[in-house]
Amino acid sequence: MKFYLFGLSLLFSLSCHSFENSGRFGLGATSQTYQNLPAISLKIHFSEKSAMGTYFSYRGTEEASYNFGVRYYNSIVSEPNLIFYGVLSGGILQTYNGTTSSSGYEGSIHFGTEFFFEEIKHIGLSFEAGISMTNIDEFIFETSASHIFNSAIHFYF
């Protein structure tokens, strides 16, 4: 009986150590874009369950390559230092290969996680995997995933 009471008290005390995500604003960097262009990323948590984000990347001088998109995050499971979420994103893009310039759009559905270090709660690292669609000259449907060197990092204020 003592074991069950200890287990229940441990289970209910986990929420005491979690922190509020509602109202947090994050500024960071990501490589989770078309052709892995490094991008500036913004993320705003409206509640414990939902967040909106945007990203922008740019490369070039006269003829440029760029990505611009918006993302909607929906939290599936929220742990004290870990958030599992689903994300729906869409954006516009332009690529330049040296001679011609092409523009199009992209969309994706991913599942991911963002984790925070215990002592540094202002930094979040995100990893995602899912499917994406791109339409530049032709329609491409592909799987996509990020790893430790291709992740997003946000500093939350």
Side-chain angles (χ1 to χ4, degrees):
M1 183 66 173
K2 290 180 185 177
F3 179 74
Y4 293 117
L5 289 175
F6 175 74
L8 284 174
S9 66
L10 183 64
L11 181 66
F12 288 116
S13 69
L14 287 178
S15 64
C16 297
H17 298 293
S18 65
F19 54 94
E20 282 283 323
N21 285 323
S22 178
R24 295 183 82 186
F25 170 73
L27 175 65
T30 184
S31 291
Q32 299 167 342
T33 60
Y34 182 71
Q35 294 182 337
N36 294 331
L37 285 174
I40 297 170
S41 176
L42 302 172
K43 191 173 184 182
I44 300 171
H45 289 267
F46 294 111
S47 67
E48 289 297 316
K49 295 291 284 179
S50 65
M52 288 291 291
T54 185
Y55 59 91
F56 178 72
S57 64
Y58 183 84
R59 175 178 41 194
T61 55
E62 199 171 300
E63 294 289 335
S65 296
Y66 64 84
N67 291 338
F68 175 74
V70 294
R71 302 178 69 126
Y72 173 74
Y73 300 88
N74 188 19
S75 176
I76 299 169
V77 176
S78 185
E79 296 288 329
N81 292 321
L82 188 69
I83 301 171
F84 291 103
Y85 59 84
V87 62
L88 179 65
S89 67
I92 57 172
L93 50 98
Q94 179 175 325
T95 60
Y96 180 68
N97 64 5
T99 57
T100 61
S101 179
S102 301
S103 60
Y105 61 89
E106 67 176 337
S108 65
I109 298 172
H110 286 99
F111 291 98
T113 181
E114 183 171 23
F115 72 91
F116 304 90
F117 297 105
E118 182 69 31
E119 299 297 324
I120 311 170
K121 296 199 183 291
H122 293 287
I123 296 178
L125 295 172
S126 301
F127 305 99
E128 298 175 0
I131 56 174
S132 64
M133 308 166 274
T134 306
N135 189 5
I136 300 178
D137 297 332
E138 64 181 345
F139 186 77
I140 301 170
F141 187 78
E142 62 187 350
T143 58
S144 60
S146 62
H147 49 79
I148 190 75
F149 301 110
N150 187 22
S151 63
I153 185 168
H154 289 97
F155 180 80
Y156 288 96
F157 296 97

